[in-house]
Amino acid sequence: SYELTQPPSVSVSPGQTARITCSGDALSKQYAYWYQQKSGQAPVLVIYKDSERPSGIPERFSGSSSGTTVTLTISGVQAEDEADYYCQSADSTGSYLVFGGGAKLTVL
Amino acid sequence: QLQLQESGSGLVKPSQTLSLTCAVSGGSISSGDYSWSWIRQPPGKGLEWIGYIYHSGSTYYNLSLKSRVTMSVDKSKNQFSLRLSSVTAADTAVYYCARVVIVVANRWFDPWGQGTLVTVSS
């Protein structure tokens, strides 16, 4: 089996930088993807292939990778960024997909 | 702009089969380099990938659910479906459909449907 581990919660004040990590053995071989899920809404892709940002996603969202850990960074956090964030990757074949447990970002 | 919309039974009795359909609009389900997926989220919990299907009908299922899951695609209606058998209360969740973007061996979900709540209860 393969798992992705995220911290359950991250808290930052407005204007600060939030960093949300995701770790797992698969990440040394597979890309990671990040989704933002606001309360009562469907998830939205914010980062793909570790560090690429889809069109329409603010520049304050960025991603990075190092070994078996990937990090979603939100610079200059705004109140509207308060949400659950999920990482996603795949097994070594790329065919079987998995989500991390999610991290709740609280903007103080 | 591609849109996905889930529909189906919102209340299912234990031991019965859950059935959902995802209607795709704004694009063809037969487009290359994509597959079509179901993901669920129990109330207050995280996301769980259920499986995905290609327009050819080939499928990949989460191994933890494989024995109970069947996915199908109807190209004439531009939609795909999920059946989950022998449901229990643990299957109560919001069920999302999503397009799977495929680039080489990499897969991610974009966009997602709005989700539909399925409750398993007698």
Side-chain angles (χ1 to χ4, degrees), chain B residues 61-69 85:
Chain B
Y61 300 145
N62 186 322
L63 297 179
S64 68
L65 297 169
K66 185 175 182 178
S67 63
R68 300 193 291 130
V69 172
S85 64

Side-chain angles (χ1 to χ4, degrees), chain B residues 26-40:
Chain B
S28 172
I29 203 168
S30 298
S31 296
D33 299 327
Y34 300 116
S35 60
W36 306 91
S37 187
W38 291 96
I39 300 136
R40 69 180 183 178

Side-chain angles (χ1 to χ4, degrees), chain A residues 2 30-31 33 35 37 41-45 48-49 84 86 88-89 93-101, chain B residues 39 41 45-49 52 60-63 66 96 100 103 105-110 112-115:
Chain A
Y2 47 101
Q30 295 289 345
Y31 285 117
Y33 309 87
Y35 303 88
Q37 186 181 34
Q41 298 183 19
V44 172
L45 178 74
Y48 67 99
K49 293 175 71 175
D84 294 325
Y86 293 89
Q88 175 247 312
S89 190
T93 69
S95 297
Y96 295 90
L97 309 180
V98 63
F99 289 99
Chain B
I39 300 136
Q41 184 172 37
K45 297 188 177 181
L47 301 169
E48 180 180 32
W49 170 65
Y52 59 80
Y60 283 84
Y61 300 145
N62 186 322
L63 297 179
K66 185 175 182 178
Y96 295 99
V100 181
V103 177
N106 306 297
R107 293 173 173 80
W108 64 93
F109 305 101
D110 184 46
W112 298 56
Q114 66 182 29

Side-chain angles (χ1 to χ4, degrees), chain B residues 4-5 9 27-28 30 33-34 53-54 69 88-89 99-101 104 106 109 113 117 120-121:
Chain B
L4 300 95
Q5 178 67 59
S9 52
S28 172
S30 298
D33 299 327
Y34 300 116
I53 185 168
Y54 291 89
V69 172
T88 70
R99 183 180 66 176
V100 181
V101 180
V104 188
N106 306 297
F109 305 101
L117 175 63
V120 178
S121 175

